[in-house]
Amino acid sequence: MNDNTCFDYDNIIDEILMSEKYTAEKYYIEGTEKSSKNAYKEGFTIGYQKGYDIGLEIGFYAGILVGIEKLYKSKIIILSEKELNILQKLSNFIETFPQINDKNINIIDQYNELKGLYKKFCFNLKIKNLDKTILNFSKWNN
């Protein structure tokens, strides 16, 4: 046997035994990369829709508040001091609500607080059924 035909049988056997491990590692890496890309796309789509729905709802609240303020200024309705305070607090809350996603701000907590304040305002004014469900925001399209 000359040098060109000499085989390292131990190395060949190691390669055969390790090929399954190398293949599994390769496809694991490919799979996690693909999964990450798909999760990002799906997360973006869901997040965009949720943000859109929240924006519509806050816009709805803002529109109601503008209408009530105009009715109050025209003396068509009378608001108590407590109701005026809640109205002002709601208006300020809507004005300062984050327009972009900030990791340091929990937008969902602020959104829930805003919804609660709006419900409290409607309860104090004895307004029933004046919430987002009458418009069914989630069925709206851009």
Side-chain angles (χ1 to χ4, degrees), residues 100-137:
I100 59 170
N101 194 15
D102 183 348
K103 292 179 181 179
N104 299 321
I105 298 172
N106 190 331
I107 290 178
I108 300 301
D109 284 349
Q110 286 191 358
Y111 166 66
N112 288 331
E113 187 178 341
L114 177 62
K115 282 186 349 184
L117 196 55
Y118 178 78
K119 286 179 182 179
K120 181 179 177 181
F121 181 70
C122 288
F123 178 79
N124 283 330
L125 288 178
K126 295 175 180 54
I127 299 173
K128 293 182 181 178
N129 300 324
L130 190 55
D131 65 7
K132 67 176 180 152
T133 57
I134 64 173
L135 298 176
N136 200 1
F137 291 128

Short mmCIF file of all heavy atoms in Angstrom, two decimals, residues 100-137:
data_model
loop_
_atom_site.label_atom_id
_atom_site.label_comp_id
_atom_site.label_asym_id
_atom_site.label_seq_id
_atom_site.Cartn_x
_atom_site.Cartn_y
_atom_site.Cartn_z
N ILE A 100 -45.72 56.45 20.40
CA ILE A 100 -44.84 55.39 19.92
C ILE A 100 -44.57 54.43 21.07
O ILE A 100 -44.74 54.77 22.23
CB ILE A 100 -43.50 55.94 19.37
CG1 ILE A 100 -42.76 56.73 20.45
CG2 ILE A 100 -43.72 56.79 18.14
CD1 ILE A 100 -41.35 57.09 20.08
N ASN A 101 -44.14 53.23 20.71
CA ASN A 101 -43.86 52.22 21.71
C ASN A 101 -42.54 52.53 22.41
O ASN A 101 -41.52 52.70 21.77
CB ASN A 101 -43.79 50.84 21.05
CG ASN A 101 -43.83 49.73 22.06
OD1 ASN A 101 -44.18 49.94 23.21
ND2 ASN A 101 -43.50 48.54 21.62
N ASP A 102 -42.60 52.65 23.71
CA ASP A 102 -41.42 52.91 24.52
C ASP A 102 -41.29 51.77 25.53
O ASP A 102 -42.23 51.52 26.28
CB ASP A 102 -41.57 54.26 25.24
CG ASP A 102 -40.36 54.66 26.05
OD1 ASP A 102 -39.47 53.81 26.27
OD2 ASP A 102 -40.31 55.82 26.48
N LYS A 103 -40.16 51.10 25.53
CA LYS A 103 -39.98 49.95 26.42
C LYS A 103 -40.05 50.33 27.90
O LYS A 103 -40.29 49.49 28.74
CB LYS A 103 -38.64 49.26 26.13
CG LYS A 103 -38.62 48.57 24.79
CD LYS A 103 -37.29 47.92 24.52
CE LYS A 103 -37.31 47.27 23.16
NZ LYS A 103 -36.07 46.62 22.80
N ASN A 104 -39.84 51.61 28.21
CA ASN A 104 -39.87 52.07 29.60
C ASN A 104 -41.28 52.42 30.07
O ASN A 104 -41.47 52.74 31.24
CB ASN A 104 -38.96 53.29 29.78
CG ASN A 104 -37.51 52.96 29.45
OD1 ASN A 104 -37.03 51.88 29.78
ND2 ASN A 104 -36.84 53.85 28.77
N ILE A 105 -42.25 52.41 29.16
CA ILE A 105 -43.62 52.75 29.50
C ILE A 105 -44.50 51.54 29.22
O ILE A 105 -44.43 50.95 28.15
CB ILE A 105 -44.11 53.95 28.66
CG1 ILE A 105 -43.27 55.18 28.94
CG2 ILE A 105 -45.58 54.23 28.93
CD1 ILE A 105 -43.57 56.35 28.00
N ASN A 106 -45.34 51.19 30.19
CA ASN A 106 -46.27 50.09 29.99
C ASN A 106 -47.56 50.66 29.40
O ASN A 106 -48.43 51.14 30.11
CB ASN A 106 -46.55 49.36 31.30
CG ASN A 106 -47.32 48.08 31.08
OD1 ASN A 106 -48.09 47.96 30.13
ND2 ASN A 106 -47.11 47.12 31.97
N ILE A 107 -47.65 50.64 28.08
CA ILE A 107 -48.77 51.24 27.37
C ILE A 107 -50.08 50.54 27.72
O ILE A 107 -51.12 51.19 27.85
CB ILE A 107 -48.52 51.24 25.84
CG1 ILE A 107 -47.41 52.23 25.51
CG2 ILE A 107 -49.78 51.57 25.07
CD1 ILE A 107 -47.02 52.29 24.06
N ILE A 108 -50.04 49.24 27.90
CA ILE A 108 -51.27 48.50 28.20
C ILE A 108 -51.83 48.93 29.56
O ILE A 108 -53.04 49.11 29.70
CB ILE A 108 -51.03 46.97 28.15
CG1 ILE A 108 -50.57 46.54 26.75
CG2 ILE A 108 -52.28 46.21 28.56
CD1 ILE A 108 -51.56 46.88 25.62
N ASP A 109 -50.96 49.14 30.55
CA ASP A 109 -51.44 49.64 31.85
C ASP A 109 -52.07 51.02 31.70
O ASP A 109 -53.12 51.30 32.28
CB ASP A 109 -50.30 49.70 32.87
CG ASP A 109 -49.93 48.33 33.42
OD1 ASP A 109 -50.68 47.36 33.18
OD2 ASP A 109 -48.89 48.23 34.09
N GLN A 110 -51.43 51.88 30.93
CA GLN A 110 -51.98 53.22 30.71
C GLN A 110 -53.30 53.15 29.95
O GLN A 110 -54.24 53.88 30.27
CB GLN A 110 -50.98 54.10 29.96
CG GLN A 110 -49.83 54.55 30.83
CD GLN A 110 -49.00 55.63 30.16
OE1 GLN A 110 -49.25 56.02 29.02
NE2 GLN A 110 -48.02 56.12 30.87
N TYR A 111 -53.37 52.28 28.99
CA TYR A 111 -54.60 52.10 28.22
C TYR A 111 -55.73 51.64 29.13
O TYR A 111 -56.85 52.16 29.07
CB TYR A 111 -54.33 51.10 27.09
CG TYR A 111 -55.54 50.55 26.40
CD1 TYR A 111 -56.37 51.37 25.64
CD2 TYR A 111 -55.85 49.19 26.49
CE1 TYR A 111 -57.47 50.84 24.99
CE2 TYR A 111 -56.94 48.67 25.84
CZ TYR A 111 -57.76 49.49 25.09
OH TYR A 111 -58.85 48.97 24.45
N ASN A 112 -55.45 50.66 29.98
CA ASN A 112 -56.46 50.16 30.91
C ASN A 112 -56.89 51.24 31.90
O ASN A 112 -58.07 51.34 32.24
CB ASN A 112 -55.96 48.92 31.64
CG ASN A 112 -55.90 47.71 30.73
OD1 ASN A 112 -56.65 47.60 29.77
ND2 ASN A 112 -54.98 46.80 31.01
N GLU A 113 -55.94 52.04 32.36
CA GLU A 113 -56.27 53.15 33.26
C GLU A 113 -57.16 54.16 32.55
O GLU A 113 -58.14 54.66 33.12
CB GLU A 113 -54.99 53.82 33.75
CG GLU A 113 -55.23 54.86 34.82
CD GLU A 113 -53.94 55.48 35.33
OE1 GLU A 113 -52.86 54.89 35.14
OE2 GLU A 113 -54.03 56.58 35.92
N LEU A 114 -56.86 54.47 31.30
CA LEU A 114 -57.67 55.40 30.51
C LEU A 114 -59.09 54.86 30.32
O LEU A 114 -60.06 55.60 30.49
CB LEU A 114 -57.00 55.64 29.15
CG LEU A 114 -57.74 56.54 28.17
CD1 LEU A 114 -57.89 57.95 28.74
CD2 LEU A 114 -57.01 56.59 26.86
N LYS A 115 -59.21 53.58 29.99
CA LYS A 115 -60.53 52.98 29.84
C LYS A 115 -61.33 53.07 31.13
O LYS A 115 -62.52 53.38 31.12
CB LYS A 115 -60.41 51.50 29.42
CG LYS A 115 -60.09 51.31 27.99
CD LYS A 115 -60.10 49.87 27.49
CE LYS A 115 -60.18 48.77 28.46
NZ LYS A 115 -60.09 47.43 27.88
N GLY A 116 -60.68 52.79 32.25
CA GLY A 116 -61.35 52.85 33.55
C GLY A 116 -61.82 54.26 33.87
O GLY A 116 -62.93 54.46 34.37
N LEU A 117 -60.98 55.23 33.58
CA LEU A 117 -61.34 56.62 33.83
C LEU A 117 -62.51 57.05 32.94
O LEU A 117 -63.42 57.75 33.39
CB LEU A 117 -60.11 57.51 33.58
CG LEU A 117 -60.13 58.93 34.12
CD1 LEU A 117 -60.40 58.95 35.61
CD2 LEU A 117 -58.80 59.61 33.81
N TYR A 118 -62.50 56.60 31.70
CA TYR A 118 -63.60 56.91 30.79
C TYR A 118 -64.91 56.30 31.30
O TYR A 118 -65.97 56.94 31.28
CB TYR A 118 -63.29 56.42 29.37
CG TYR A 118 -64.41 56.69 28.39
CD1 TYR A 118 -64.59 57.96 27.86
CD2 TYR A 118 -65.28 55.67 28.02
CE1 TYR A 118 -65.63 58.21 26.97
CE2 TYR A 118 -66.31 55.92 27.13
CZ TYR A 118 -66.48 57.19 26.61
OH TYR A 118 -67.51 57.43 25.74
N LYS A 119 -64.85 55.04 31.75
CA LYS A 119 -66.04 54.38 32.29
C LYS A 119 -66.56 55.12 33.53
O LYS A 119 -67.77 55.28 33.70
CB LYS A 119 -65.74 52.92 32.63
CG LYS A 119 -65.62 52.04 31.41
CD LYS A 119 -65.30 50.61 31.80
CE LYS A 119 -65.13 49.76 30.56
NZ LYS A 119 -64.79 48.37 30.87
N LYS A 120 -65.64 55.55 34.35
CA LYS A 120 -66.02 56.31 35.55
C LYS A 120 -66.73 57.61 35.15
O LYS A 120 -67.74 57.99 35.73
CB LYS A 120 -64.77 56.61 36.38
CG LYS A 120 -65.02 57.36 37.65
CD LYS A 120 -63.69 57.57 38.40
CE LYS A 120 -63.87 58.37 39.65
NZ LYS A 120 -62.60 58.57 40.33
N PHE A 121 -66.18 58.27 34.14
CA PHE A 121 -66.77 59.51 33.65
C PHE A 121 -68.19 59.26 33.13
O PHE A 121 -69.13 59.98 33.48
CB PHE A 121 -65.89 60.11 32.55
CG PHE A 121 -66.40 61.40 32.00
CD1 PHE A 121 -66.37 62.56 32.76
CD2 PHE A 121 -66.88 61.47 30.71
CE1 PHE A 121 -66.84 63.77 32.25
CE2 PHE A 121 -67.35 62.66 30.18
CZ PHE A 121 -67.33 63.81 30.97
N CYS A 122 -68.36 58.22 32.31
CA CYS A 122 -69.68 57.89 31.77
C CYS A 122 -70.65 57.51 32.89
O CYS A 122 -71.82 57.91 32.86
CB CYS A 122 -69.58 56.76 30.76
SG CYS A 122 -68.82 57.25 29.19
N PHE A 123 -70.17 56.80 33.87
CA PHE A 123 -71.02 56.41 35.01
C PHE A 123 -71.49 57.65 35.76
O PHE A 123 -72.67 57.76 36.11
CB PHE A 123 -70.25 55.47 35.95
CG PHE A 123 -71.03 55.07 37.16
CD1 PHE A 123 -72.00 54.09 37.07
CD2 PHE A 123 -70.80 55.68 38.39
CE1 PHE A 123 -72.74 53.71 38.19
CE2 PHE A 123 -71.53 55.31 39.51
CZ PHE A 123 -72.50 54.32 39.41
N ASN A 124 -70.57 58.59 36.01
CA ASN A 124 -70.94 59.81 36.72
C ASN A 124 -71.95 60.65 35.94
O ASN A 124 -72.79 61.33 36.52
CB ASN A 124 -69.71 60.66 37.06
CG ASN A 124 -68.95 60.11 38.23
OD1 ASN A 124 -69.52 59.50 39.12
ND2 ASN A 124 -67.64 60.29 38.23
N LEU A 125 -71.85 60.63 34.61
CA LEU A 125 -72.80 61.37 33.78
C LEU A 125 -74.07 60.57 33.50
O LEU A 125 -74.97 61.04 32.81
CB LEU A 125 -72.15 61.77 32.45
CG LEU A 125 -71.11 62.86 32.50
CD1 LEU A 125 -70.53 63.11 31.12
CD2 LEU A 125 -71.68 64.16 33.04
N LYS A 126 -74.09 59.34 34.01
CA LYS A 126 -75.22 58.43 33.78
C LYS A 126 -75.43 58.16 32.28
O LYS A 126 -76.55 58.10 31.79
CB LYS A 126 -76.49 58.97 34.43
CG LYS A 126 -76.36 59.02 35.95
CD LYS A 126 -77.55 59.66 36.58
CE LYS A 126 -77.45 59.74 38.08
NZ LYS A 126 -76.32 60.36 38.66
N ILE A 127 -74.31 58.03 31.57
CA ILE A 127 -74.34 57.69 30.15
C ILE A 127 -74.14 56.18 30.05
O ILE A 127 -73.18 55.64 30.57
CB ILE A 127 -73.20 58.39 29.37
CG1 ILE A 127 -73.34 59.90 29.47
CG2 ILE A 127 -73.19 57.93 27.93
CD1 ILE A 127 -72.17 60.66 28.87
N LYS A 128 -75.05 55.52 29.36
CA LYS A 128 -74.94 54.07 29.19
C LYS A 128 -74.64 53.75 27.73
O LYS A 128 -75.10 54.45 26.83
CB LYS A 128 -76.23 53.37 29.61
CG LYS A 128 -76.50 53.48 31.10
CD LYS A 128 -77.75 52.74 31.48
CE LYS A 128 -77.98 52.91 32.98
NZ LYS A 128 -79.18 52.27 33.42
N ASN A 129 -73.91 52.69 27.52
CA ASN A 129 -73.64 52.16 26.18
C ASN A 129 -72.91 53.15 25.26
O ASN A 129 -73.09 53.11 24.05
CB ASN A 129 -74.93 51.68 25.50
CG ASN A 129 -75.60 50.58 26.28
OD1 ASN A 129 -74.94 49.75 26.88
ND2 ASN A 129 -76.91 50.60 26.29
N LEU A 130 -72.12 54.04 25.82
CA LEU A 130 -71.34 54.96 24.99
C LEU A 130 -69.87 54.54 25.08
O LEU A 130 -69.04 55.22 25.62
CB LEU A 130 -71.52 56.40 25.45
CG LEU A 130 -70.96 57.48 24.52
CD1 LEU A 130 -71.52 57.32 23.12
CD2 LEU A 130 -71.29 58.85 25.04
N ASP A 131 -69.61 53.37 24.56
CA ASP A 131 -68.24 52.88 24.55
C ASP A 131 -67.92 52.29 23.18
O ASP A 131 -68.74 52.29 22.28
CB ASP A 131 -67.98 51.88 25.69
CG ASP A 131 -68.79 50.61 25.55
OD1 ASP A 131 -69.46 50.41 24.52
OD2 ASP A 131 -68.77 49.79 26.49
N LYS A 132 -66.72 51.80 23.07
CA LYS A 132 -66.22 51.34 21.77
C LYS A 132 -67.02 50.18 21.18
O LYS A 132 -66.99 49.98 19.99
CB LYS A 132 -64.76 50.94 21.90
CG LYS A 132 -64.56 49.71 22.77
CD LYS A 132 -63.14 49.27 22.82
CE LYS A 132 -63.06 48.04 23.70
NZ LYS A 132 -62.03 47.17 23.39
N THR A 133 -67.74 49.43 22.01
CA THR A 133 -68.44 48.26 21.47
C THR A 133 -69.54 48.65 20.49
O THR A 133 -69.91 47.86 19.64
CB THR A 133 -69.06 47.42 22.61
OG1 THR A 133 -69.94 48.24 23.37
CG2 THR A 133 -67.97 46.83 23.49
N ILE A 134 -70.05 49.88 20.59
CA ILE A 134 -71.10 50.28 19.65
C ILE A 134 -70.53 50.45 18.23
O ILE A 134 -71.27 50.42 17.27
CB ILE A 134 -71.84 51.57 20.09
CG1 ILE A 134 -70.90 52.77 20.13
CG2 ILE A 134 -72.53 51.36 21.40
CD1 ILE A 134 -71.60 54.08 20.40
N LEU A 135 -69.23 50.63 18.13
CA LEU A 135 -68.61 50.82 16.82
C LEU A 135 -67.85 49.59 16.32
O LEU A 135 -67.49 49.52 15.17
CB LEU A 135 -67.66 52.02 16.86
CG LEU A 135 -68.33 53.35 17.17
CD1 LEU A 135 -67.29 54.44 17.28
CD2 LEU A 135 -69.36 53.70 16.11
N ASN A 136 -67.57 48.65 17.20
CA ASN A 136 -66.86 47.42 16.84
C ASN A 136 -65.57 47.72 16.07
O ASN A 136 -65.42 47.39 14.91
CB ASN A 136 -67.77 46.49 16.04
CG ASN A 136 -67.27 45.06 16.08
OD1 ASN A 136 -66.26 44.75 16.71
ND2 ASN A 136 -67.97 44.18 15.42
N PHE A 137 -64.61 48.37 16.74
CA PHE A 137 -63.38 48.83 16.12
C PHE A 137 -62.60 47.74 15.41
O PHE A 137 -62.01 47.97 14.38
CB PHE A 137 -62.44 49.44 17.17
CG PHE A 137 -62.94 50.73 17.72
CD1 PHE A 137 -63.04 50.94 19.07
CD2 PHE A 137 -63.28 51.77 16.87
CE1 PHE A 137 -63.47 52.14 19.57
CE2 PHE A 137 -63.73 52.98 17.37
CZ PHE A 137 -63.83 53.16 18.72
#
